[in-house]
Every structure is written in structure tokens, then in C-alpha cells.
């Protein structure tokens, strides 16, 4: 598997997630190279994420699956964060059938005063079938 997972919207807005790598060979920590493209902006980072041995509810696949399971809505913002905050995903349900999925990249390493670079794009998904397909595809991509 060498092709990235791609979430694409109108124009050049897209989020690419490259195949997970197991840098230590033990299945506990994976790295994923990821890119954001929107309106001439391009950003990339490598995020450390939980591996196959982590409880599903703490992982990115578990997070997106929970969004799809609650497709009818929730209040507030739900957030998932990679191990070192390089990748943050947040989701809001508008109560009218759409979910705004925010993808934020941050500079790797310590950022005690929160002044390092960041990049963000927001993708709007239909809360039913489109969100379920996204969650299923991303889960399959990250778990294989």
C-alpha cells in the first residue's frame, strides 16, 4: 500500500494521509506523514499515533468511527490529538445534517508558549453516508 488516503473537497482543498509506518517495529507507535492543501497553502507534518495495541477509542480510527456512529448529532466540539500534538482533528455537528471536520497541523516538538506554526483546513461532510464512508475508508487505511 503506497497510495495515500485522500479527503478532497472543491477546488484544491485536500488532506492526504500517507501509509502508517512502524518506526520501532513493535506495533505500539506509528508515524503518519500527512499533508494539507488549500487555497495555495501547503503544509505537512509527521504525526506519532497509537499503534495496533491501543484501545480503539483512543485512536484516530476510533475517533472517526464514533463520529459516524453519532451521525444524528452531538453538542459541542469533539477532539482527537496525536501523541505530540502535531495533528489535531476536531468535529462539530451543525444539527442540520453536516459535520465540520477541522484538521490542524502544528510544528513538532515542544511549544510551551503556543507560538509555533500551525495550519488548518475545515472539511464539511454530510453527516450520514458521506461521514460513514469517510470513517470506514480512513479506518481501513490506518488499520491495514
Amino acid at each position: 500500500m503506497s497510495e495515500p488516503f485522500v479527503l478532497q473537497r472543491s477546488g484544491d482543498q485536500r488532506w492526504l494521509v500517507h501509509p502508517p509506518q512502524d518506526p520501532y517495529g513493535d506495533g505500539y507507535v506509528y508515524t503518519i506523514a500527512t499533508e494539507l492543501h488549500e487555497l495555495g497553502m501547503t503544509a505537512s507534518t509527521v504525526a506519532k499515533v497509537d499503534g495496533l495495541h491501543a484501545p480503539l477509542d483512543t485512536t484516530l480510527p476510533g475517533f472517526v468511527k464514533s463520529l459516524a456512529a453519532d451521525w444524528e448529532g452531538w453538542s459541542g466540539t469533539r477532539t482527537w490529538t496525536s501523541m505530540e500534538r502535531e495533528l489535531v482533528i476536531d468535529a462539530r455537528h451543525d444539527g442540520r445534517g453536516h459535520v465540520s471536520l477541522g484538521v490542524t497541523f502544528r510544528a513538532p516538538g515542544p511549544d510551551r508558549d503556543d507560538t509555533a506554526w500551525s495550519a488548518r483546513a475545515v472539511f464539511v461532510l454530510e453527516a450520514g453516508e458521506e461521514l460513514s464512508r469517510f470513517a470506514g475508508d480512513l479506518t481501513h487505511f490506518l488499520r491495514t
Side-chain angles (χ1 to χ4, degrees), residues 20-69:
Q21 304 295 314
D22 185 354
Y24 308 111
D26 61 8
Y28 284 95
V29 174
Y30 283 88
T31 59
I32 52 172
T34 183
E35 304 169 31
L36 274 179
H37 301 270
E38 183 174 28
L39 299 173
M41 174 200 72
T42 299
S44 63
T45 194
V46 176
K48 287 184 180 176
V49 298
D50 289 320
L52 295 175
H53 303 293
L56 185 61
D57 62 338
T58 66
T59 66
L60 180 53
F63 176 73
V64 296
K65 286 176 82 172
S66 74
L67 299 177

Side-chain angles (χ1 to χ4, degrees), residues 68-88:
D70 294 338
W71 65 272
E72 293 181 289
W74 61 85
S75 59
T77 302
R78 292 184 177 181
T79 304
W80 175 87
T81 304
S82 66
M83 290 179 168
E84 295 183 359
R85 293 185 57 218
E86 313 93 340
L87 173 60
V88 177

